[in-house]
Amino acid sequence: MLWWQPEEKAVVRIYLVAAGWGATLAVWQTQLDALIGVLFLNNKEAAFAGMKMIHALGSALTFAYSSAVCTDVKLFILLAVLAAGLVGYGVLEWKTHKEARDSHKSLEQLGERNRNNQTLLDVDALVERETSL
């Protein structure tokens, strides 16, 4: 759209772009879900709820300005949000790997530690709930 104007005879290319976009989104979403699952083991529900809320807010904002802004501006907004997301993801990965390196633990070990802490919290909550009855 910025560098390529779709033509009616380029139907295959349009479908290839859509398929590439879908495959890329599937990989990106899977990686993001996995990262959030590892980083927020003690509070997964809130982390995923926050992620879904931000996603819905972005969709609502996009819908709200879609009729007021031309396509070129929409594409630049999309590129800016994509760049900000990639930078944020990169910083998060860097901090996570730095923490793992500094503590001489792998990401799997950090996840296991968080999982054990969550298990202890679950047991404490269960004991508290059962003893209060």
Side-chain angles (χ1 to χ4, degrees):
M1 302 285 230
L2 288 175
W3 302 283
W4 172 64
Q5 217 39 25
E7 299 170 357
E8 196 172 318
K9 61 184 177 184
V11 174
V12 173
R13 189 181 304 167
I14 292 170
Y15 284 124
L16 287 174
V17 167
W21 185 278
T24 303
L25 182 62
V27 170
W28 177 259
Q29 190 64 45
T30 302
Q31 291 299 315
L32 186 60
D33 288 347
L35 184 63
I36 287 175
V38 168
L39 293 177
F40 295 100
L41 279 175
N42 294 335
N43 206 0
K44 281 185 185 180
E45 293 84 9
F48 283 106
M51 181 183 71
K52 295 298 181 185
M53 185 202 59
I54 295 296
H55 183 259
L57 179 65
S59 296
L61 286 173
T62 302
F63 180 75
Y65 72 72
S66 66
S67 62
V69 178
C70 66
T71 303
D72 287 345
V73 174
K74 290 181 210 175
L75 289 172
F76 284 118
I77 292 171
L78 179 65
L79 288 172
V81 171
L82 177 64
L86 287 172
V87 168
Y89 183 81
V91 168
L92 185 60
E93 282 282 347
W94 175 73
K95 283 182 145 187
T96 304
H97 282 289
K98 183 179 179 212
E99 179 185 331
R101 185 183 62 232
D102 290 347
S103 64
H104 302 292
K105 294 180 181 177
S106 68
L107 286 177
E108 290 80 18
Q109 290 170 329
L110 287 174
E112 186 63 35
R113 183 190 70 203
N114 288 341
R115 192 172 301 111
N116 290 339
N117 290 344
Q118 179 64 36
T119 304
L120 292 175
L121 290 174
D122 289 343
V123 169
D124 289 342
L126 179 63
V127 168
E128 184 178 324
R129 188 180 75 207
E130 293 297 325
T131 55
S132 66
L133 294 176

